[in-house]
Amino acid sequence: MSNSNDFIKIADLSFPIERATLAAVMPDPYWCDTYNNGQGKGLGWSLEISSPQTEVDDDFWAPFITIERAGFPARDWRALEGQDYVWNSPVDEATGEANGTLYVFEHADISKAHLHFGRREGLKYHVRLTGLCDVHYDDTYGADVALSVSATVEFSSIVVAGSERDTAETLRARLSEHVNIDDFEQGELLVNEHTYDSGVGMTSCEFTPRL
């Protein structure tokens, strides 16, 4: 649960924050090679901030913000403290992916923003974001609407995906190319009940941060 003083503000509307998390995922390289033209093998970070449902003029709003970036932290996840991330267009030219999205009634762009990671306390950071977003609601809350966020974000985990060819050791080795692996506690190797269309099985491991 986030701090009661945190908020998502869209123009003149303010919403409390229900949940704010930072996490990362490493896709299975077998999936990347087989189904994604070899793309997307890196460590992808995701910052998600959500608000509970609130009634606004007989409609119900529950703003949900997602910011996905490949290069949030350096090898040490603690290095996020004091970092700033700025963008001035909806799409990252290097990746072709959206820089940030806001969902109220549909997925819409956060076209411009300044994201700041403040002081860290344990696994939590105080995060501030200011910028412009699209809501597509009416003339007042349409495009390029002022957005302001204050949130207490908690780093949850990194999930490394693999195929049936992987072991706990190979998943650990793959993640160690991106982070200081001793900063994480490795969970057990999980075997997914589903398989790819090719029949190859799926596995994964969750890595939780150590303080």
Side-chain angles (χ1 to χ4, degrees), residues 22-211:
L22 174 71
V25 173
M26 276 195 76
D28 175 14
Y30 171 80
W31 176 87
C32 294
D33 288 336
T34 307
Y35 301 102
N36 201 39
N37 298 316
Q39 303 299 308
K41 294 182 182 180
L43 185 61
W45 292 85
S46 179
L47 175 64
E48 296 184 345
I49 303 171
S50 62
S51 172
Q53 201 170 69
T54 301
E55 187 172 3
V56 178
D57 295 333
D58 298 324
D59 284 316
F60 288 93
W61 295 43
F64 186 91
I65 291 170
T66 304
I67 299 168
E68 296 182 343
R69 299 184 71 86
F72 262 151
R75 290 192 63 85
D76 184 352
W77 63 269
R78 300 169 187 83
L80 264 179
E81 186 172 11
Q83 294 299 309
D84 291 276
Y85 298 88
V86 178
W87 61 90
N88 293 294
S89 63
V91 176
D92 185 331
E93 291 184 3
T95 64
E97 301 293 333
N99 278 312
T101 59
L102 168 70
Y103 183 89
V104 180
F105 302 101
E106 60 183 85
H107 291 286
D109 295 323
I110 299 175
S111 56
K112 297 182 179 181
H114 179 180
L115 173 65
H116 175 74
F117 283 85
R119 189 176 67 169
R120 179 181 66 84
E121 295 181 0
L123 298 176
K124 296 181 179 180
Y125 292 92
H126 184 254
V127 168
R128 287 192 175 274
L129 182 145
T130 56
L132 297 176
C133 66
D134 297 338
V135 183
H136 303 312
Y137 181 67
D138 59 15
D139 291 341
T140 302
Y141 310 104
D144 292 334
V145 180
L147 174 67
S148 179
V149 179
S150 174
T152 304
V153 173
E154 184 167 5
F155 179 26
S156 59
S157 65
I158 298 175
V159 174
V160 181
S163 72
E164 63 185 25
R165 305 169 184 178
D166 281 297
T167 64
E169 289 72 25
T170 62
L171 296 183
R172 183 181 181 86
R174 194 175 301 148
L175 180 59
S176 69
E177 296 176 5
H178 298 269
V179 301
N180 297 332
I181 199 65
D182 291 338
D183 290 342
F184 293 86
E185 187 74 31
Q186 183 173 359
E188 65 181 67
L189 180 71
L190 300 179
V191 179
N192 198 308
E193 62 181 8
H194 302 291
T195 63
Y196 295 114
D197 291 342
S198 63
V200 172
M202 308 175 188
T203 58
S204 65
C205 266
E206 184 176 36
F207 294 78
T208 54
R210 293 171 172 159
L211 291 175

Side-chain angles (χ1 to χ4, degrees), residues 7-15 65 133 145-150:
F7 58 84
I8 296 173
K9 190 171 183 180
I10 302 171
D12 60 336
L13 301 176
S14 187
F15 304 88
I65 291 170
C133 66
V145 180
L147 174 67
S148 179
V149 179
S150 174

